[in-house]
Every structure is written in C-alpha cells, then in structure tokens.
Amino acid sequence: MPEPGIRARLRLAYPAFALDVDLALPGRGVTAIFGHSGSGKTSLLRCVAGLERAAGRLEVNGETWQDGDAFLPTHRRPLGYVFQEASLFSHLTVRGNLEYGMRRAGLPAGTDGTAPVVELLGIGDLLGRRPDRLSGGERQRVAIARALLTRPRILLMDEPLAALDPARKSGILPYLERLHDELAIPVLYVTHSVDEVARLADHLVVLEAGRAAACGPLSETFARLDLPLAQDEGAGTVLDARIAGHDADGITRLAIPGGEILVPRRPEAAGQPVRLRIAARDVSLALARHEDTSILNVLPATVIGFADVAGQVLVSLDAGGTRLLARVTQRSWDRLAVRPGTALFAQIKSVALF
Amino acid sequence: MSDADLVALWLTMRLAGLTTLLLLLVGTPVAWWLARTRSRLKGPVGAVVALPLVLPPAVLGFYLLVLMGPDGPVGRATQALGLGLLPFTFAGLVVASVIYSLPFVVQPLQNAFEAIGERPLEAAATLRAGPWDRFFTVAVPLARPGFVTAAILGFAHTVGEFGVVLMIGGNIPGRTQVLSMAIYDHVEALEYGQAHWLAGGLLAFSFAVLAALYSLNPASRPGRRRA
C-alpha cells in the first residue's frame, strides 16, 4: 500500500544559492511554502514540477517522480502548475487555453468537461476572448482553471496573487478559498504573504536560505516565535473553529478548544467550520479580569514564552488549549512583570473570520 | 518585355520560391538551436550564419564555385553520387542562394524564438505537452511574425542577388539567367528602355514587400502585448 503524501528530498546547487530540503508533506490540503525572496520557494516548486533538475528523490502520493538517475520529465508528471504571471498562450482563446491541457491529458474537451471548473472560477463569460483582452485577475483565474482541468494529482501554485494589485487580489482570494474547500488533491502554495498563509494554508513550510526552517501543521507553526512569521506585521494565530450558535442580540458564538469566541452575527449555520485569525496586535494582556470593558472576548491564559520583535514583545499564550500571540510594548511588559507560567487574561479586540 | 525577359522573371520567381522554402526548412532548426542553446558553439555557428551579411557576394560565389567545381570536395561528392556538377545549373543556383540568404531567414526566426522566452514552453510542459508538441503548438504559432518576416526577407533577398549568381550560375538564358542578369545585359547593350522596365519592376516589388512587411506584420505594430 503506497503511502499518501509527498516525500521530497531534493538538492539543487547554483553558484550563489543552494536548495537542500527533506520534506514530508500531507497528501491533501494546502501546504504553504513561505519565505522571503531568495529563500528558494520557487526553486523548490520548480523541482517538484521537474522544470529544474535537482538531485535526490521525489514521491507524490505513492508515485516516484524522481529517484537518482530516474527522472520523469515535466510533461509526464500529472501536475497542475500556476505561474506567478498567468502565462496563458496568447495565440489561443481562453477556451483554447483550457482545452490545451485537457486534450493532452486524454480528457474529453468541450463544454461538459470544462463546466464545473469554469463555474468554480467564474470565467464563463471569458471563454471566447483572447488572453490580451483579459484583466490580470481574469488571466490568473483562467490559468488556475487551465491547470485544474487536466485533473492533476497535485497543484503547484507559485505566488499566484503576487503580480496583482490589492483590489484584484481580494477579488481572487475567495476563489482560492473555494478551491481549498473543494479540492481533494494536495496543493503546494508558494507565497511571501502572511495573510495568504493565514487564509489558505493547512500546513506550512518555512524556507530560509534554501533550507526548511520549519515544517508542520499551520496551528503549530504559524504562532512560533522563532520563525520569520513572528516578525511580520500580520503575526498572530490561526484557529479552526465551529459556529456554536447565534444569540438574539446579534452575536455569534464560535467554539474553540477551551472556550468560545464571540463575534458579530455571521451568516453561517450552527455547526459550520470557520477559520479565524487573531492578530498579535489585537490581543492585550491583563492580570485581572475586568468586567467594565467593551471587549467581549477575555480568555484566561498562561504565558508560554516571549520574544523581542522590533522593539516590542511578542508573548505566546496558552488559553485552555488554544494558542494565542499578544504583542505589547516593552514598557507594558515590564509593568506586568510576568514570566512563563504566569496566569493572566488575554483581551481580544478583534477577530478576522475567513 | 521581351520573351527572354519573361523567361528570366519566371526563373527568378522559381529560384526565390524554392530557396525560401528550403531556407525555412533548414533555417528553422538552426534558429531554434541558436535561440535556446547554452553551448559554446553558439558564437561560432552564429558567425558562420551571419557571414553572407558582410562578405562580398563575389567572395562567397568564388568559394562556392571552388567547392562545387570538379576538384572541390562538394563537386567530387556530387559527381560520385551521379548528380554531375552544380555550377552553371539551376540546382547550383538554389544551393548558392540558400547559403547567401541564410542570415535573412535565420536571424528573424532566432529573434522571434528568443522573444517567446522559456515561460510559454514551460507552461505547455506542465500541461502534458512533450518537446515536439511544444515546438509545433506553442513555439511556431507564437513565432509567426518571425516566420512572415523571414519568408519575405529570404524571398526578396534572393530575387535581388547578383554577384553570387554571376559566379555560380553564369548567365545562361532559360537556365541560370535571372532578372538582375537580364538588367545587366540590357544596360550593356544600351537598351535602357528594357532595363527600366525590369529595374523599375524590381524597385516596385521591393517597396511593396517592405511596405507589406511593416504594415501587416503584428510584431512591428506598436502597443501589442503578450499575455
């Protein structure tokens, strides 16, 4: 019985840069490959695709794509690849682009075959157009559809939003979230955006100078103080919660390990899963529970650790099984005079739900 | 125009057409290789291809005559194969023209292939297209403006050649006498009227070709971007 998942032991040496990783990644869900520019994110993805020839071994859901001298060329690997720039074929219409890969993958082209993916990405009105008549966001959606239509066994996405302006970015993120919910294949998603990691990823690989600084489930890695993520303005925690119920006064209760989080009324029905993100800058600390505050979410927590980040203190907390990060000023930290192990209260000013 | 002029015109068109066809067949792989290789031979091969641009046609024609003559290596080979000798035949003219016009076909193609870049080919590979498939369904269509330019330049340049034709073909009416030769003969014989007909025709033809090239070829149209 082949083991599901991705095993990548890859080494690639350039004069000024070397990639050297040994990764075991889950066989489904979105794995974000995070790192700053030059950390080797794109090289890693290109090695998985066979666009670069690394030394080592690569297995994807039980199939060996590379092992020593055996090297499956890119066009024989059942993968989908979305480049940073859409890279559509400018001599073909949108439909021509979509069908290019389908035909070669031996799938019946035509409306029946493309309909679900075309609908998923909202590109039904664009099929007759030429790529140079599309906006950047439309092009990228077509590129994603083109990759998905070959029914790949893994989807590789190289910063698909990086070339888009913020408005286009927020226009395409909902489509990526739908992909995340509906795809049964693993997705490797290269990004340098903490926000995209928080919204889309289940699993995280952090690359630094061609090596994996961390690799693990998002809930464990995202809030780590020792990774570059902690340096980011968007540092915080990501929690997978469920809608526990709706109260008559316009409040929705979310169940998290160790308690509940209250948010303004949500459209989702009770029992639905939601992902919420609590930024470190939105969490403050108090030694006593204050009832005379407008802040609804006050959770008892224990200090686990702390780190200096850009002149402030990033505090790691355990709130009854839920990990939280709080960012406080050095002066507040000194005044509180807490140490790892101290029990206190985390006041959560706001929560982002995806 | 006299009958002899019409024969020269027809011969010139046949020569240029056949030469262009052969050049596209030979030049495409050479241009593809030059556009994509990282080999150290790229420089020397590129220089050999470009030689006809700078070499006086008489020099090129002279060496081709020596090579293809009865004592030259090519000449011996063609004789051994029972093909006879190439100089002063139509086939010899075609071979010489292909070499003479090679850069005019290879360079536009090479530029067009280089302008495509790696990315569309990589995208095609991730969509299951093998190397030949990628070449014919992505590289060739995307390089179409380059093919149009190459074909027009190759054809027009072959029509206009003189020195190489004179060395290799001589001036045999009906066999190797092309338009430029016919013009030369008319001028020698002080038949300026007939020379004007042919020379003016060539001038108009050249202008029409270039005008078509610059106005029809999308590559030279400003404001067009690749997706």
Side-chain angles (χ1 to χ4, degrees):
Chain A
M1 186 66 194
E3 204 166 307
I6 301 155
R7 283 283 296 161
R9 164 129 196 73
L10 298 166
R11 285 180 313 282
L12 185 67
Y14 286 127
F17 168 80
L19 179 76
D20 188 351
V21 293
D22 188 359
L23 299 168
L25 305 174
R28 64 165 302 169
V30 176
T31 297
I33 299 169
F34 177 87
H36 297 297
S37 38
S39 59
K41 312 183 291 285
T42 297
S43 298
L44 172 59
L45 209 63
R46 290 175 62 82
C47 288
V48 173
L51 294 171
E52 302 285 342
R53 188 159 189 166
R57 191 177 155 73
L58 174 65
E59 252 177 59
V60 175
N61 284 350
E63 278 178 41
T64 303
W65 286 5
Q66 184 179 346
D67 188 6
D69 289 336
F71 182 87
L72 209 57
T74 302
H75 66 275
R76 298 237 163 83
R77 301 185 179 194
L79 55 83
Y81 200 109
V82 179
F83 295 89
Q84 205 176 107
E85 321 80 34
S87 311
L88 301 178
F89 301 129
S90 57
H91 61 294
L92 300 175
T93 60
V94 168
R95 175 165 284 289
N97 269 278
L98 296 182
E99 290 176 351
Y100 187 93
M102 292 179 81
R103 290 222 180 80
R104 285 161 178 80
L107 298 167
T111 315
D112 289 351
T114 54
V117 171
V118 165
E119 203 257 328
L120 178 73
L121 287 152
I123 54 172
D125 294 339
L126 312 176
L127 295 177
R129 291 212 223 151
R130 294 260 163 190
D132 56 3
R133 311 287 299 168
L134 303 178
S135 73
E138 288 169 339
R139 273 204 283 269
Q140 203 56 283
R141 265 146 60 198
V142 172
I144 295 168
R146 182 176 71 171
L148 285 178
L149 282 168
T150 61
R151 303 230 186 108
R153 265 173 255 162
I154 181 172
L155 184 62
L156 308 172
M157 302 180 94
D158 185 7
E159 305 208 44
L161 304 184
L164 304 178
D165 58 49
R168 296 250 158 73
K169 230 175 247 190
S170 46
I172 201 169
L173 262 169
Y175 293 106
L176 294 181
E177 283 165 355
R178 284 174 72 179
L179 281 185
H180 173 235
D181 296 340
E182 297 191 13
L183 279 188
I185 56 168
V187 179
L188 299 191
Y189 188 100
V190 163
T191 182
H192 64 263
S193 155
V194 173
D195 190 52
E196 287 166 31
V197 171
R199 290 179 72 146
L200 299 171
D202 307 303
H203 204 84
L204 178 66
V205 174
V206 178
L207 284 186
E208 277 183 306
R211 287 168 183 276
C215 176
L218 191 69
S219 53
E220 287 169 23
T221 44
F222 193 72
R224 266 172 62 175
L225 298 177
D226 59 334
L227 296 176
L229 286 163
Q231 309 285 333
D232 194 273
E233 182 55 29
T237 44
V238 174
L239 307 173
D240 286 311
R242 264 182 323 99
I243 305 275
H246 303 290
D247 291 346
D249 58 349
I251 289 292
T252 293
R253 285 175 285 112
L254 310 175
I256 57 165
E260 284 190 341
I261 296 268
L262 309 181
V263 295
R265 179 82 191 199
R266 295 288 302 177
E268 293 91 346
Q272 288 283 322
V274 287
R275 171 172 280 199
L276 57 102
R277 176 178 175 196
I278 302 173
R281 61 168 178 266
D282 290 331
V283 178
S284 60
L285 304 177
L287 291 173
R289 183 188 276 275
H290 295 280
E291 299 298 339
D292 54 347
T293 171
S294 65
I295 293 177
L296 285 176
N297 294 302
V298 180
L299 302 175
T302 312
V303 175
I304 308 173
F306 64 96
D308 282 329
V309 171
Q312 292 189 304
V313 182
L314 199 59
V315 188
S316 170
L317 307 162
D318 175 23
T322 292
R323 180 72 77 88
L324 291 176
L325 286 186
R327 185 158 60 196
V328 298
T329 60
Q330 186 70 45
R331 181 177 296 184
S332 307
W333 178 248
D334 293 340
R335 199 159 62 196
L336 286 169
V338 294
R339 294 183 317 280
T342 307
L344 42 59
F345 294 90
Q347 308 180 123
I348 301 164
K349 240 181 322 191
S350 81
V351 174
L353 268 90
F354 307 126
Chain B
M1 265 196 281
S2 67
D3 283 352
D5 289 346
L6 282 175
V7 168
L9 176 65
W10 172 235
L11 189 104
T12 306
M13 293 300 134
R14 263 166 54 217
L15 175 65
L18 192 58
T19 300
T20 306
L21 199 67
L22 288 173
L23 272 175
L24 287 176
L25 287 176
V26 175
T28 302
V30 174
W32 179 249
W33 183 82
L34 282 171
R36 302 179 53 85
T37 185
R38 287 181 201 150
S39 159
R40 255 183 276 167
L41 289 176
K42 178 177 176 164
V45 172
V48 167
V49 169
L51 262 185
L53 285 177
V54 294
L55 221 51
V59 173
L60 191 67
F62 170 66
Y63 281 120
L64 286 175
L65 188 63
V66 170
L67 281 175
M68 302 197 298
D71 296 325
V74 178
R76 287 212 192 92
T78 53
Q79 281 175 306
L81 290 168
L83 298 171
L85 288 168
L86 288 175
F88 312 112
T89 65
F90 183 73
L93 270 194
V94 171
V95 170
S97 301
V98 163
I99 292 167
Y100 179 53
S101 294
L102 190 62
F104 291 84
V105 169
V106 169
Q107 290 189 349
L109 288 179
Q110 184 185 344
N111 291 339
F113 287 141
E114 280 170 355
I116 294 172
E118 272 315 299
R119 185 47 58 77
L121 299 163
E122 289 186 348
T126 68
L127 294 166
R128 317 281 190 280
W132 288 98
D133 191 3
R134 296 201 283 275
F135 177 76
F136 284 111
T137 62
V138 176
V140 169
L142 287 178
R144 200 183 60 96
F147 277 95
V148 174
T149 307
I152 291 176
L153 287 181
F155 188 90
H157 191 246
T158 306
V159 167
E161 69 184 275
F162 184 84
V164 174
V165 171
L166 186 63
M167 293 297 237
I168 295 295
N171 190 3
I172 307 165
R175 283 181 60 192
T176 61
Q177 188 187 54
V178 296
L179 271 185
S180 51
M181 289 295 159
I183 294 171
Y184 183 76
D185 282 356
H186 284 312
V187 174
E188 285 280 271
L190 297 178
E191 298 162 349
Y192 276 34
Q194 274 131 318
H196 267 309
W197 266 108
L198 293 182
L202 268 185
L203 180 68
F205 167 77
S206 304
F207 174 76
V209 161
L210 290 177
L213 185 64
Y214 286 120
S215 59
L216 293 179
N217 196 340
S220 58
R221 208 186 290 160
R224 190 187 151 89
R225 65 204 165 98
R226 276 229 164 74

